[in-house]
Amino acid sequence: MAISSASLISSFSHAETFTKHSKIDTVNPPNPILLISKCNSLRELMQIQAYAIKSHQQDVSFITKLINFCTESPTESSMLYARHLFDAMSEPDIVIFNSIARGYSRSKNPLEVFNLFVKILEDDLLPDNYTFPSLLKACAVSKALEEGRQLHCLSLKLGVDDNLYVCPTLINMYTECEDVDAARCVFDRIVEPCVVCYNAMITGYARRNRPNEALSLFREMQGKNLKPNEITLLSVLSSCALLGSLDLGKWIHEYAKKHGFCKYVKVNTALIDMFAKCGSLDDAVSIFEDMRYKDTQAWSAMIVAYANHGQADNSMLMFERMRSENVQPDEITFLGLLNACSHTGLVEEGRKYFSRMINEFGIVPSIKHYGSMVDLLGRAGHLEDAYEFIDKLPISPTPMLWRILLSACSSHNNLELAEKVSERIFELDDSHGGDYVILSNLYARNKKWEYVDSLRKVMKDRKAVKVPGCSSIEVNNVVHEFFSGDGVKSATTKLHRALDEMVKELKLAGYVPDTTIVVHADMCDKEKEITLRYHSEKLAIAFGLLNTPPGTTIRVVKNLRVCRDCHNAAKLISLIFGRKVVLRDVQRFHHFEDGKCSCRDFW
DNA sequence: GTAGGGTTAG
């Protein structure tokens, strides 16, 4: 709702009635500054100002209090009023500037913060340690690394860089601007970092997908007997989730229980997310059901969790429960629902949620919602619809959107459309090796070897690199990582013998290596088979079989989508070795049990 | 009620 300053000022003059209708002690007139502390609406605040003017008690200190009230939890109208007060001052000083900047910073308006800074410099005012947090936050939200660096220099010059409040904002600015190493430099310069600084750095690592460094700082912090708080736990839990480290996650859960952190809704939500992403949906559900108060994020976490585990019916059930308890859904809620539908091929339901999101709840779809819709249509085989959907978007499509469609083309073996889609991708970004691999696999499947060859050359010429497949498994609190092809040349370890043994047993049970999905055309079948054997997920599963007691569930996390051959193999492994295998790929979870997968081979 | 501010990590 937009409010003009004219309407504000008119309600301001209306506020003069305050003095007429209120009983004012004329002998001992009340101090307007004291009235502000009891004030609880903008309207009352204006009445207090009217009174202060009338009783000649309006001074700089009073105005500062007024502005502070407005910027404490700013709204559009409170900021307009604050700005009105500010503009009326003849010589605003740094204190006033800081207060206004705080308001703009809290209402995520970096542009106005920067404008104010320009004014500060023009007025020859010196920024102080109250000025920097707002400025640095503005850089963080607008990803302005260069401006952030300059502010960092200025803070050094003015000697406020090691201020209790400036330090964490500096770290946060650098991590938000994706310069995590610069953040670490700031952190390392602090003589005795406090919990807030640790939190800023740990959160930065977790957000920038560097969970190992986050966890190692967490350990360092504990070694120093610094007490983590609930905010520390949020980042540590999200690091566990990234790694799929269930053991550490469980330990954090115990820690949270012991130290009274489970009363925080956000900690519980992070626990739900962690358990779900570490493959233990049951634990996620039990945390969720035990929560007394569930907010939008908690419900969404559960909806997303069910979606990623392929339980669309439960996702939708959660949504119904959420609605019946009058909790408002947000964009993440719908992202979860859309993913739930796309993972299970519920095209009509997905379409319905998409339109309800827009029409019933007024949520503007983001690129991720569009991506989910493309996935929904494409994976269900409505490839042309998906193509048209992307073509008609109100925004220009990102390579990612086309990539989702390309992978759907691959699932449905539609080479013709895949070629068309690849063209669209390469126009935007030709450096992504995965795109060439998908297309190349499709050529191979259709026995068009000459195309496979030329595509490999193009890929090489354009210096496109493929992210290597990497799978990890946690055994006895240690996360072991395996890259595809590890040991292809020198397979001498116990693990490789176990792998050979595993494949031998699989073959006895009817496993036939699917050599059509290997990119290299010049390999013979034997070589192709070896390449497949050393896929990272097979290595990780073999490691699990070798190093965990019979009957233990094997939990593997993979950085890419699971390949068709490994999916087949995992199904058989669950059957012949009597092990549950929980495989998290970049897209979703696969639960293998008794020769079947929870995705029902739809992925 | 230290009577011009009250910040930082989610």
Side-chain angles (χ1 to χ4, degrees):
Chain A
M1 184 185 62
I3 294 171
S4 70
S5 37
S7 76
L8 262 174
I9 291 158
S10 83
S11 59
F12 158 71
S13 31
H14 167 80
E16 296 203 9
T17 50
F18 176 78
T19 40
K20 286 180 203 152
H21 298 296
S22 312
K23 285 176 190 146
I24 300 284
D25 185 342
T26 42
V27 186
N28 288 310
N31 185 329
I33 288 182
L34 283 182
L35 291 176
I36 295 177
S37 59
K38 288 174 197 142
C39 172
N40 47 40
S41 77
L42 194 57
R43 191 174 192 86
E44 274 177 38
L45 194 75
M46 293 184 206
Q47 293 174 341
I48 293 167
Q49 194 201 3
Y51 159 72
I53 293 173
K54 210 161 194 169
S55 57
H56 305 287
Q57 296 187 69
Q58 175 164 272
D59 57 6
V60 186
S61 136
F62 172 74
I63 302 250
T64 313
K65 286 268 183 203
L66 286 182
I67 294 182
N68 269 330
F69 182 92
C70 294
T71 60
E72 174 77 38
S73 30
T75 61
E76 205 180 333
S77 37
S78 80
M79 280 312 292
L80 264 169
Y81 185 51
R83 188 64 198 228
H84 166 68
L85 294 167
F86 172 78
D87 287 336
M89 300 187 82
S90 56
E91 278 188 353
D93 62 9
I94 192 69
V95 176
I96 303 283
F97 267 104
N98 288 342
S99 184
I100 296 276
R102 172 176 83 151
Y104 283 131
S105 164
R106 287 192 176 172
S107 41
K108 296 227 162 41
N109 190 343
L111 206 65
E112 286 294 350
V113 180
F114 290 137
N115 286 339
L116 281 175
F117 185 53
V118 172
K119 265 180 117 113
I120 289 176
L121 298 178
E122 279 171 2
D123 289 4
D124 277 327
L125 291 169
L126 262 191
D128 64 10
N129 51 2
Y130 291 94
T131 326
F132 281 96
S134 307
L135 285 169
L136 291 166
K137 255 191 195 170
C139 294
V141 301
S142 48
K143 315 270 173 224
L145 179 58
E146 209 27 64
E147 286 78 359
R149 277 201 190 113
Q150 286 173 18
L151 284 167
H152 184 195
C153 290
L154 187 61
S155 72
L156 283 165
K157 224 188 261 173
L158 297 171
V160 293
D161 63 302
D162 60 351
N163 173 275
L164 187 61
Y165 300 104
V166 177
C167 243
T169 7
L170 265 174
I171 295 169
N172 187 48
M173 179 278 292
Y174 277 124
T175 59
E176 285 298 301
C177 296
E178 321 234 337
D179 193 345
V180 188
D181 299 318
R184 185 60 196 247
C185 285
V186 175
F187 180 82
D188 284 336
R189 276 174 53 99
I190 311 169
V191 188
E192 259 185 47
C194 62
V195 179
V196 181
C197 287
Y198 268 102
N199 287 349
M201 199 62 236
I202 292 173
T203 305
Y205 277 134
R207 284 220 189 125
R208 300 276 81 89
N209 206 1
R210 288 162 68 162
N212 286 316
E213 285 148 296
L215 293 175
S216 107
L217 263 192
F218 173 64
R219 288 190 197 99
E220 180 185 310
M221 178 176 179
Q222 286 183 305
K224 287 188 183 171
N225 272 330
L226 266 173
K227 269 186 110 52
N229 61 17
E230 74 279 9
I231 289 159
T232 326
L233 292 200
L234 295 181
S235 299
V236 171
L237 284 170
S238 102
S239 301
C240 295
L242 284 168
L243 285 171
S245 172
L246 184 60
D247 291 348
L248 182 58
K250 280 184 173 160
W251 186 87
I252 302 289
H253 185 205
E254 291 309 313
Y255 183 93
K257 279 197 269 191
K258 196 172 148 197
H259 293 85
F261 290 121
C262 286
K263 62 182 179 213
Y264 297 98
V265 179
K266 287 190 174 186
V267 170
N268 282 304
T269 306
L271 281 165
I272 293 171
D273 186 61
M274 181 278 294
F275 277 126
K277 286 187 177 148
C278 291
S280 185
L281 192 56
D282 294 348
D283 285 311
V285 173
S286 89
I287 300 266
F288 178 78
E289 295 302 344
D290 284 346
M291 284 173 80
R292 272 180 295 127
Y293 169 76
K294 304 177 178 86
D295 62 5
T296 302
Q297 282 78 16
W299 284 103
S300 301
M302 209 51 237
I303 288 172
V304 170
Y306 278 128
N308 289 338
H309 285 269
Q311 300 187 14
D313 43 350
N314 279 327
S315 282
M316 296 191 280
L317 205 65
M318 283 293 128
F319 182 66
E320 293 312 317
R321 269 178 66 189
M322 177 182 185
R323 292 304 299 139
S324 72
E325 294 188 21
N326 270 323
V327 182
Q328 208 57 22
D330 68 3
E331 56 276 9
I332 308 290
T333 320
F334 281 101
L335 199 58
L337 289 165
L338 292 175
N339 283 340
C341 294
S342 84
H343 289 329
T344 44
L346 298 171
V347 178
E348 280 321 305
E349 284 81 353
R351 283 189 202 265
K352 259 185 229 159
Y353 283 124
F354 188 69
S355 77
R356 279 185 77 184
M357 169 178 92
I358 298 166
N359 303 318
E360 192 178 330
F361 296 96
I363 296 169
V364 181
S366 75
I367 195 78
K368 290 198 167 166
H369 297 102
Y370 292 137
S372 196
M373 283 303 285
V374 174
D375 195 47
L376 174 78
L377 298 169
R379 219 144 12 136
H382 305 201
L383 295 170
E384 297 294 338
D385 285 357
Y387 190 92
E388 203 178 314
F389 181 87
I390 301 181
D391 235 12
K392 285 188 176 160
L393 285 183
I395 52 158
S396 54
T398 57
M400 186 48 84
L401 283 183
W402 290 117
R403 238 163 237 150
I404 294 166
L405 182 52
L406 180 63
S407 119
C409 291
S410 153
S411 311
H412 292 279
N413 197 12
N414 186 331
L415 180 56
E416 201 186 325
L417 191 61
E419 285 179 319
K420 203 163 133 192
V421 171
S422 304
E423 279 311 308
R424 304 298 294 265
I425 296 178
F426 296 149
E427 284 165 22
L428 300 166
D429 172 15
D430 62 7
S431 69
H432 196 270
D435 304 330
Y436 298 86
V437 174
I438 291 178
L439 189 57
S440 171
N441 280 339
L442 262 177
Y443 281 131
R445 251 171 99 179
N446 292 281
K447 311 225 181 312
K448 302 202 170 185
W449 304 110
E450 67 278 18
Y451 288 97
V452 175
D453 272 350
S454 64
L455 196 61
R456 273 188 66 205
K457 255 184 224 113
V458 174
M459 181 175 168
K460 215 173 160 185
D461 290 344
R462 294 181 184 166
K463 296 193 171 62
V465 274
K466 187 190 176 295
V467 181
C470 172
S471 298
S472 59
I473 179 169
E474 187 182 52
V475 175
N476 296 327
N477 291 310
V478 181
V479 177
H480 303 263
E481 279 191 331
F482 300 95
F483 286 88
S484 278
D486 270 357
V488 164
K489 293 211 174 75
S490 58
T492 49
T493 64
K494 224 167 138 187
L495 172 62
H496 295 104
R497 279 199 299 279
L499 188 61
D500 291 343
E501 206 53 45
M502 184 177 95
V503 174
K504 210 185 270 172
E505 295 216 28
L506 285 175
K507 281 186 174 171
L508 286 175
Y511 162 74
V512 181
D514 186 355
T515 49
T516 56
I517 59 169
V518 180
V519 209
H520 311 289
D522 49 0
M523 277 183 172
C524 69
D525 274 2
K526 190 73 205 158
E527 285 172 311
K528 285 181 188 170
E529 197 190 316
I530 303 270
T531 311
L532 277 181
R533 182 174 303 181
Y534 289 88
H535 270 184
S536 64
E537 50 269 57
K538 289 202 193 75
L539 283 162
I541 293 174
F543 185 87
L545 284 174
L546 191 63
N547 293 293
T548 57
T552 319
T553 299
I554 295 176
R555 293 170 202 277
V556 172
V557 177
K558 194 190 172 188
N559 66 337
L560 307 169
R561 277 179 64 175
V562 58
C563 87
R564 211 147 28 91
D565 184 68
C566 289
H567 195 268
N568 283 335
K571 282 195 287 184
L572 270 174
I573 288 166
S574 72
L575 185 68
I576 57 182
F577 294 94
R579 297 276 201 126
K580 286 187 195 173
V581 178
V582 180
L583 177 70
R584 171 178 122 187
D585 74 10
V586 73
Q587 204 80 27
R588 57 168 299 160
F589 273 93
H590 298 265
H591 292 257
F592 300 95
E593 192 175 0
D594 299 330
K596 286 190 226 101
C597 179
S598 61
C599 75
R600 285 180 246 125
D601 299 332
F602 181 85
W603 92 91

